[in-house]
Amino acid sequence: MKITRKNSALINDTVPNVQIDLGKPITNGEQQFDIPDESVRRAFVRKIFFILSLQFVILLPFIELFSIIFEEPFSIHTLHSIGILVFIFEIVMYLLRDMRRHPPMNLLTLAVLTIFLALYYGICACVFDSTLVFLYLLASIVQLGCLILFSKLERFRFSNINAILVIVIVLIVSIIVIELVEPLAYEQAVFAAAIHSIYVVCDTQLMLSGFHGYQLKSEEHIFAAANVFIDAPYCTWRVFKYFIVNPIVKLFYDTKACCRARVC
């Protein structure tokens, strides 16, 4: 059998189309959102960032509390167990999105998630350096606060790249301050906080643009704030699928097509 253009097209069609889905399509050069009004959308994002900042403020005392109460450090296995438990909770809550959308379940979900995070970061403070964990949370609060202030500047577009530039500026200033106070000590904490803040910005954009299919309304900021953490397993899977699974699948189909092709 000859390999015609038709057969070649059939082989190419079997290879998965690899692309990045960013939610709603771009119409007339503008990204479409679940909340059409930009001023309402900016206020909605500020509420999300404020709730996350308040959540980190609540977590700060647990760092010192765990360090004082538990004199003997936890094992790394305990930390991994809590991490797996949080991961499973996030997956379950991601699937039960409709159940936790409205009060009181949205508040209950956020409260339970905060308790899990308090346990996780508290144990982190016991396993590792408590100052490192404390600075990570503090740097996250500062970066989210700067993003809230930036969202008030309507002359600038609140795009992903602009928000990331704000985070990078705060990161550089934080490193300079740390170098002046304690050289070469806690830079990794502010780096980790910057990575987390970038994730918060990107996931917020994906939520508002319909990537997760939440169909958000302007009054659902508590639901959206909890989603920032709950979306983590799915976003992890999407990154893993795009960079690992899809290339392997494409390589498999390419190899299969190459092996089945006739030499003459």
Side-chain angles (χ1 to χ4, degrees):
M1 183 184 71
K2 294 182 178 180
I3 300 180
T4 62
R5 291 185 178 180
K6 182 178 179 181
N7 294 331
S8 178
L10 289 174
I11 293 174
N12 291 333
D13 289 341
T14 59
V15 181
N17 185 21
V18 179
Q19 59 182 354
I20 300 177
D21 183 9
L22 295 179
K24 294 182 182 295
I26 296 176
T27 305
N28 297 326
E30 292 293 332
Q31 175 70 51
Q32 303 300 304
F33 295 95
D34 288 340
I35 303 173
D37 189 277
E38 183 178 356
S39 60
V40 176
R41 194 164 60 245
R42 283 180 178 245
F44 182 81
V45 170
R46 284 195 292 271
K47 291 177 183 178
I48 294 176
F49 291 172
F50 177 77
I51 292 173
L52 295 177
S53 301
L54 184 61
Q55 195 175 33
F56 285 134
V57 170
I58 294 173
L59 294 177
L60 286 176
F62 285 91
I63 306 302
E64 295 300 325
L65 187 64
F66 270 69
S67 301
I68 294 172
I69 294 177
F70 301 101
E71 296 180 357
E72 295 184 2
F74 288 91
S75 66
I76 193 67
H77 301 291
T78 305
L79 181 62
H80 290 163
S81 300
I82 296 296
I84 293 172
L85 188 63
V86 174
F87 198 78
I88 293 173
F89 174 77
E90 290 172 343
I91 293 174
V92 173
M93 289 298 102
Y94 186 86
L95 298 175
L96 300 177
R97 58 179 67 183
D98 292 331
M99 183 196 72
R100 59 182 177 82
R101 181 180 289 269
H102 304 292
M105 289 304 299
N106 57 352
L107 288 170
L108 181 61
T109 302
L110 188 64
V112 173
L113 183 61
T114 305
I115 292 172
F116 274 127
L117 292 176
L119 288 173
Y120 182 78
Y121 287 118
I123 294 175
C124 276
C126 295
V127 174
F128 305 108
D129 189 351
S130 61
T131 306
L132 197 67
V133 181
F134 187 90
L135 282 178
Y136 164 77
L137 295 176
L138 188 62
S140 298
I141 295 169
V142 173
Q143 289 168 0
L144 290 173
C146 291
L147 289 173
I148 292 173
L149 294 176
F150 177 73
S151 68
K152 292 179 176 290
L153 303 176
E154 296 185 359
R155 70 178 69 178
F156 299 106
R157 290 189 62 185
F158 200 152
S159 60
N160 280 340
I161 187 62
N162 287 342
I164 291 173
L165 286 175
V166 172
I167 294 171
V168 171
I169 292 171
V170 177
L171 173 64
I172 294 173
V173 173
S174 301
I175 292 176
I176 292 173
V177 172
I178 291 175
E179 285 291 332
L180 293 175
V181 177
E182 192 75 27
L184 299 175
Y186 300 110
E187 288 87 351
Q188 57 266 44
V190 293
F191 270 110
I195 292 173
H196 179 263
S197 297
I198 292 172
Y199 163 75
V200 170
V201 169
C202 293
D203 190 64
T204 301
Q205 185 272 329
L206 292 175
M207 278 194 291
L208 288 170
S209 61
F211 176 81
H212 294 291
Y214 288 128
Q215 297 179 347
L216 292 172
K217 298 178 181 178
S218 58
E219 66 274 9
E220 294 179 333
H221 47 276
I222 297 176
F223 172 70
N227 289 341
V228 171
F229 288 100
I230 291 172
D231 291 340
Y234 181 71
C235 291
T236 302
W237 159 245
R238 291 287 300 199
V239 171
F240 178 78
K241 179 182 177 183
Y242 182 77
F243 289 104
I244 305 297
V245 177
N246 282 346
I248 292 176
V249 172
K250 187 177 185 304
L251 178 63
F252 169 77
Y253 279 105
D254 288 345
T255 304
K256 181 180 178 182
C258 181
C259 292
R260 295 179 63 180
R262 297 182 62 172
V263 177
C264 60

